[in-house]
């Protein structure tokens, strides 16, 4: 009878850089502990993969087009069937691990670490552990506006200008559903329930600037 621990860990990689994508696929292809179920080039494609492909651990970038690591974590937060997520980034921002933990990530690994560190992090996270560098937990509260993606900032400014969802979709050349998706994340991050409250939050945040 096979040892249950010998089952391959199914992973999905979300990475914007095609060269790093292929390097990671090769890294895992040469190690029978892992199976790469899919690769996505951005956060929106990663979420589409979550809906149609079962897997154990997602390795996601922090800075990705259309929907970044924050947005992915926000979208999957609280879902009982969500895969465990590791943020894998070269971002020099020392606050990223704290933000990732606050948003529900299971692990963090810097691209400056050797590849074996990422493999070890995946194995630990798949086994139910959390893997993060030291984080000062006294700083876990932060400015919600600082946690917005560039797309969410665009939408918030558009809301403040009085644009409708349809007008925003046309202006940004994205679908109406994508606008609604980003707005839901935006409201969740700001802790508001509708566009009027979001606009009030935006205007308050710009008063002292």
């Amino acid at each position: 009878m096979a040892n249950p621990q010998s089952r391959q860990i199914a992973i999905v990689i979300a990475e914007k850089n095609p060269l790093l994508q292929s390097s990671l696929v090769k890294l895992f292809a040469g190690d029978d502990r892992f199976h790469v179920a899919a690769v996505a080039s951005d956060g929106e494609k990663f979420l589409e993969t979550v809906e149609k492909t079962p897997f154990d651990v997602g390795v996601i970038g922090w800075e990705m087009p259309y929907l970044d690591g924050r947005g992915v974590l926000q979208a999957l937060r609280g879902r009982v069937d969500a895969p465990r997520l590791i943020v894998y980034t070269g971002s020099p921002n020392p606050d990223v691990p704290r933000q990732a933990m606050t948003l529900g990530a299971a692990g963090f690994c810097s691209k400056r670490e050797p590849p074996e560190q990422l493999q070890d992090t995946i194995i630990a996270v798949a086994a139910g552990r959390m893997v993060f560098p030291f984080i000062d937990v006294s700083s876990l509260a932060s400015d919600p506006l600082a946690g917005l993606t560039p797309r969410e900032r665009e939408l918030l400014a558009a809301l403040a200008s009085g644009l409708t969802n349809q007008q925003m979709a046309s202006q940004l050349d994205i679908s109406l559903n994508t606008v609604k998706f980003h707005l839901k994340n935006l409201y969740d991050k700001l802790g508001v329930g509708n566009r009027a409250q979001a606009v009030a939050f935006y205007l308050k945040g710009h008063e002292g600037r």
Side-chain angles (χ1 to χ4, degrees):
M1 185 175 171
N3 181 341
Q5 291 300 315
S6 68
R7 185 180 77 83
Q8 286 186 313
I9 300 168
I11 60 178
V12 170
I13 299 164
E15 169 57 51
K16 66 181 179 182
N17 183 322
L19 286 176
L20 184 53
Q21 261 187 35
S22 58
S23 296
L24 289 172
V25 169
K26 285 177 187 171
L27 173 71
F28 294 117
D31 191 323
D32 60 10
R33 295 174 297 176
F34 307 100
H35 162 63
V36 178
V39 178
S41 57
D42 60 65
E44 286 178 350
K45 287 186 172 66
F46 179 82
L47 287 184
E48 290 173 9
T49 304
V50 170
E51 296 300 331
K52 61 190 180 188
T53 305
F55 60 98
D56 304 306
V57 177
V59 178
I60 64 172
W62 187 249
E63 295 163 349
M64 297 186 290
Y66 308 118
L67 186 68
D68 64 8
R70 289 187 200 86
V72 169
L73 289 166
Q74 191 80 31
L76 294 178
R77 195 173 188 181
R79 274 185 50 164
V80 293
D81 59 341
R84 293 172 67 77
L85 300 179
I86 295 167
V87 171
Y88 184 55
T89 180
S91 171
N93 182 350
D95 196 46
V96 171
R98 181 196 63 78
Q99 293 181 46
M101 178 186 279
T102 304
L103 291 167
F108 175 90
C109 184
S110 170
K111 289 177 180 175
R112 293 186 292 275
E113 300 287 347
E116 297 77 27
Q117 180 69 36
L118 177 59
Q119 292 172 315
D120 291 344
T121 301
I122 292 172
I123 289 168
V125 164
R129 296 195 291 276
M130 294 182 71
V131 183
F132 285 91
F134 172 77
I135 294 172
D136 181 2
V137 293
S138 68
S139 66
L140 285 180
S142 66
D143 173 15
L145 286 174
L148 299 184
T149 67
R151 178 71 91 197
E152 287 162 355
R153 289 175 185 275
E154 278 183 304
L155 288 172
L156 186 54
L159 283 179
S161 301
L163 296 187
T164 66
N165 288 5
Q166 189 63 61
Q167 288 170 327
M168 286 188 278
S170 299
Q171 182 173 303
L172 298 174
D173 195 26
I174 56 179
S175 74
L176 188 57
N177 279 342
T178 301
V179 168
K180 290 176 181 174
F181 169 79
H182 285 304
L183 287 179
K184 179 183 180 302
N185 277 349
L186 173 63
Y187 295 165
D188 286 347
K189 287 183 182 181
L190 298 182
V192 300
N194 56 48
R195 66 176 52 216
Q197 291 173 348
V199 169
F201 202 113
Y202 174 82
L203 295 175
K204 183 179 178 184
H206 281 255
E207 277 176 2
R209 298 186 185 186

